[in-house]
Amino acid sequence: MKVNIYYGGRGIVDDPTLFVINKMQSVLEELNVTVTRYNLYEQKNAITTLPQTLKDVDGVLFAATVEWYGIGGYMQQFLDALWLYGDKTKIANIYMCPVVMSTTYGEREGKLNLATAWEILGGLPCSGLCGYIEDSTQLEMNEEYIQLIERKAENMYRTIHQKVASFPASNQAVKQKVSVSKNIDLTPQESEQLSKYVSNEEYVQQQKEDLQELASMFRGMMNRKDKDNTTEYLADFEKAFTPQPGVSGTFILQIEGRKKPIVLEVKGAKLECKYSNLEKGDVEMQLSENTLESILKGKANFQRSFMAGEMKMKGDFKLFRSLDQIFSFS
């Protein structure tokens, strides 16, 4: 007989649940049961792979500690993993004994939650144990409590060994009728493989980055109008051009999201304005479309936008300051 113990507490020294499962494990091993222990707080980065450990077991013991409210995050994550990746055909033949100790209110609700979750998964019930223990020494020094724990372990052994039958639970009927998973149908082997990928943080992070990159690319393809190689904004610069004595230079405005920048070539009283892939200019700027439109509408200017951090600039700073003089936007 094989039994797995899954402990969902934090592993602190005075956790009463640890004393209970240690004692139950000792009794089961005396009965020649092969017991494997999984501390979920040590397996927190691989919880999604733990459903694989139920493959060849006859029974499981789910242990949790209620410290303020509910059974805690690690055990809930494990239950979620069982629902998503567990082999339901295997779970249907496994008995589960819930053990919930509480240092505050809620041990009965915690035990009921574990039992209900297991029934919804399709597993077999086994009588559990719960109690309010303010101080773990209450367990260690009380012989009656110890005998109660030992009898509970013996009862779990008998239930599994005799394959005690139980009436069908309404939870299972509800699951079959209205709680059918909407996920793509997967075989147990495919679910197991998927759980391995989910537990691999580097793989998951890479997938997230790839999805974000694809989403950004398609969003840009759907929302961005192809305005390159057009005359947009060029007429605004030509209309606002006010030549200044001694001011000549090439200004490159790279608008975010555009392939080609706007190139302004000022030669004294002449202005050539176009979209071009000119690589080098006297002044090179990078700004958003919103910032450029604010400047063209006279709500801002190049100098203030640069000082406010709304645009980047490199090149001849003195020539850059003359932009607001040679282009007067009202």
Side-chain angles (χ1 to χ4, degrees):
M1 183 186 298
K2 294 185 66 175
V3 171
N4 286 355
I5 296 176
Y6 300 90
Y7 167 65
R10 294 186 296 133
I12 56 178
V13 176
D14 59 346
D15 187 346
T17 304
L18 284 175
F19 178 82
V20 174
I21 60 178
N22 286 339
K23 182 62 66 176
M24 293 185 71
Q25 179 175 350
S26 176
V27 172
L28 291 171
E29 288 175 342
E30 290 176 2
L31 295 169
N32 293 321
V33 176
T34 301
V35 180
T36 304
R37 175 93 155 263
Y38 295 93
N39 295 322
L40 299 185
Y41 67 90
E42 296 176 347
Q43 305 274 343
K44 58 185 178 181
N45 293 327
I47 286 180
T48 53
T49 65
L50 290 182
Q52 304 165 31
T53 61
L54 273 70
K55 282 184 177 180
D56 54 354
V57 300
D58 303 291
V60 293
L61 190 155
F62 288 176
T65 305
V66 178
E67 295 185 273
W68 76 281
Y69 184 80
I71 58 176
Y74 295 139
M75 181 57 71
Q76 187 61 56
Q77 289 180 44
F78 178 51
L79 293 173
D80 290 343
L82 288 174
W83 174 253
L84 294 172
Y85 310 115
D87 186 345
K88 307 302 190 300
T89 59
K90 296 286 186 181
I91 292 176
N93 298 313
I94 301 175
Y95 289 87
M96 191 278 289
C97 175
V99 173
V100 179
M101 294 291 114
S102 172
T103 58
T104 181
Y105 174 81
E107 71 282 354
R108 293 183 184 276
E109 289 78 2
K111 175 187 168 186
L112 178 61
N113 287 342
L114 289 179
T116 302
W118 189 249
E119 287 179 346
I120 292 176
L121 287 166
L124 299 170
C126 188
S127 178
L129 182 67
C130 67
Y132 167 72
I133 305 297
E134 186 177 2
D135 187 347
S136 60
T137 56
Q138 295 177 6
L139 288 173
E140 300 170 11
M141 306 300 293
N142 192 312
E143 193 64 31
E144 292 182 348
Y145 289 164
I146 294 176
Q147 291 178 5
L148 181 62
I149 296 169
E150 291 175 344
R151 286 198 299 270
K152 188 61 66 174
E154 293 170 358
N155 183 63
M156 180 183 181
Y157 172 81
R158 293 191 191 96
T159 300
I160 299 173
H161 186 266
Q162 297 173 7
K163 298 188 181 301
V164 176
S166 61
F167 283 111
S170 61
N171 294 325
Q172 296 179 8
V174 170
K175 179 197 72 171
Q176 294 169 1
K177 292 181 179 180
V178 300
S179 298
V180 179
S181 175
K182 295 181 180 180
N183 293 336
I184 300 173
D185 291 334
L186 299 174
T187 65
Q189 293 75 19
E190 290 170 334
S191 293
E192 178 180 328
Q193 189 65 33
L194 180 60
S195 70
K196 292 179 181 179
Y197 286 134
V198 172
S199 65
N200 188 326
E201 292 184 356
E202 292 183 1
Y203 176 83
V204 172
Q205 184 61 33
Q206 184 61 48
Q207 292 300 304
K208 288 181 178 179
E209 292 176 358
D210 291 345
L211 287 173
Q212 289 175 354
E213 184 177 348
L214 284 171
S216 177
M217 181 182 69
F218 283 114
R219 192 181 302 116
M221 290 173 62
M222 294 175 63
N223 297 334
R224 188 184 68 217
K225 296 179 180 178
D226 187 10
K227 298 178 180 178
D228 296 334
N229 299 319
T230 69
T231 59
E232 187 183 23
Y233 301 137
L234 301 186
D236 294 299
F237 283 100
E238 293 171 352
K239 182 179 179 181
F241 181 56
T242 306
Q244 299 293 320
V247 177
S248 296
T250 302
F251 303 86
I252 299 177
L253 285 81
Q254 180 63 62
I255 305 171
E256 295 174 4
R258 302 280 185 111
K259 295 180 181 179
K260 293 183 179 181
I262 296 176
V263 177
L264 306 173
E265 294 185 2
V266 179
K267 300 178 180 178
K270 294 183 179 180
L271 170 66
E272 184 177 354
C273 190
K274 60 185 177 182
Y275 281 92
S276 173
N277 284 325
L278 187 65
E279 295 182 357
K280 188 69 175 176
D282 298 304
V283 177
E284 299 175 23
M285 294 161 282
Q286 183 178 354
L287 70 170
S288 68
E289 194 164 345
N290 289 336
T291 300
L292 178 59
E293 289 183 353
S294 294
I295 294 173
L296 298 180
K297 292 177 182 178
K299 296 180 180 180
N301 60 34
F302 290 101
Q303 183 75 15
R304 286 201 301 268
S305 298
F306 173 73
M307 297 302 292
E310 296 173 353
M311 62 178 293
K312 299 178 182 179
M313 188 281 296
K314 64 178 181 179
D316 190 332
F317 189 76
K318 182 179 179 181
L319 188 59
F320 168 73
R321 287 190 298 178
S322 68
L323 261 178
D324 292 318
Q325 298 175 351
I326 59 178
F327 293 103
S328 179
F329 300 102
S330 57

